């Protein structure tokens, strides 16, 4: 195409020029507004990252379990009450969701592709442990699940710590809790 025939675009119409100026001003926002929007998105994603595992754990406790737990003199003194056991499982899910969010916020699920499958594996094992042990009354299977959960938690802790040290540190209490659950589960097997 011959460049001599090209004409420059002009906006001779004042309405079109005013509309273009208004549109450009509305597209430019202050840095404070942009930071506020980013903070709101961050809080929403944090709420979802924590609410999903906690809600799934609540659902697993509600739907899949009964009170098949030793009571009275048949349980050792160091066994927590069932409500405390379930409450700490929910707190563990909260910490896991928070640490997963920290890893996600740092782009860790893209940097290290094994982080997400490890997180999902431990979440799935965590969700099926309570219904297997207390709902189905199968402590042997629960012991295998808790051992698998401990292994995935160790691997997840290492991967998360490489991505975000705070996320790795948040996993340590959940790792200790899973080790305690394995001991409780072992005692239920030989009960």
């Amino acid at each position: 195409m011959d460049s001599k025939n090209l004409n420059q675009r002009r906006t001779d119409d004042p309405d079109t020029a005013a509309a273009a100026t208004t549109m450009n001003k509305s597209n430019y926002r202050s840095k404070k507004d942009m930071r506020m929007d980013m903070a709101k998105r961050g809080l929403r994603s944090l709420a979802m990252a924590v609410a999903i595992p906690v809600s799934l754990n609540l659902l697993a406790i509600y739907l899949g379990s009964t009170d098949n737990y030793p009571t009275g003199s048949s349980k050792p003194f160091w066994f927590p009450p069932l409500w405390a056991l379930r409450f700490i499982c929910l707190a563990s899910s909260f910490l896991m969701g928070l640490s997963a969010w920290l890893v996600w916020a740092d782009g860790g699920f893209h940097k290290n592709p094994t982080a997400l499958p490890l997180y999902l594996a431990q979440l799935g094992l965590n969700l099926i442990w309570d219904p297997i042990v207390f709902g189905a009354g199968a402590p042997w299977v629960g012991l295998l699940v808790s051992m698998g959960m401990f292994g995935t938690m160790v691997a997840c802790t290492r991967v998360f710590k490489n991505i975000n040290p705070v996320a790795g540190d948040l996993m340590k209490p959940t790792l200790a809790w899973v080790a305690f659950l394995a001991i409780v589960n072992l005692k239920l097997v030989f009960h």
Side-chain angles (χ1 to χ4, degrees):
M1 180 174 203
D2 190 13
S3 63
K4 292 179 185 176
N5 293 336
L6 292 178
N7 291 332
Q8 184 177 7
R9 266 187 156 173
R10 293 185 178 215
T11 54
D12 294 330
D13 185 16
D15 294 332
T16 308
T21 305
T22 305
M23 188 174 79
N24 286 339
K25 285 182 182 176
S26 67
N27 287 342
Y28 295 116
R29 301 175 55 190
S30 70
K31 287 184 181 181
K32 182 180 177 183
D33 290 339
M34 291 185 336
R35 275 185 268 165
M36 185 62 84
D37 286 345
M38 191 166 44
K40 286 178 184 178
R41 283 192 310 268
L43 284 176
R44 272 183 281 195
S45 64
L46 173 61
M48 293 299 292
V50 169
I52 289 172
V54 170
S55 299
L56 289 173
N57 207 328
L58 274 172
L59 188 66
I61 289 170
Y62 179 73
L63 294 178
S65 63
T66 61
D67 291 338
N68 190 10
Y69 189 71
T71 57
S73 63
S74 65
K75 73 175 185 173
F77 73 93
W78 51 270
F79 261 44
L82 187 59
W83 66 267
L85 187 96
R86 290 180 172 160
F87 178 76
I88 297 172
C89 283
L90 289 172
S92 177
S93 292
F94 173 83
L95 287 175
M96 283 302 301
L98 180 59
S99 62
W101 180 79
L102 287 170
V103 169
W104 171 80
D106 281 349
F109 292 133
H110 295 292
K111 290 178 190 173
N112 191 338
T114 59
L116 185 60
L118 283 172
Y119 171 71
L120 293 175
Q122 74 77 29
L123 180 64
L125 290 169
N126 192 13
L127 291 175
I128 64 172
W129 182 82
D130 191 272
I132 286 173
V133 174
F134 300 123
W140 277 104
V141 178
L143 185 61
L144 293 174
V145 168
S146 64
M147 291 299 164
M149 192 168 30
F150 186 78
T152 57
M153 284 279 228
V154 167
C156 202
T157 301
R158 287 182 180 167
V159 169
F160 279 17
K161 190 161 189 85
N162 289 338
I163 297 167
N164 185 324
V166 175
D169 289 341
L170 282 173
M171 301 262 312
K172 290 177 183 176
T174 62
L175 191 58
W177 175 246
V178 169
F180 180 73
L181 281 182
I183 294 169
V184 167
N185 206 143
L186 186 63
K187 186 63 179 168
L188 287 173
V189 167
F190 295 113
H191 178 275

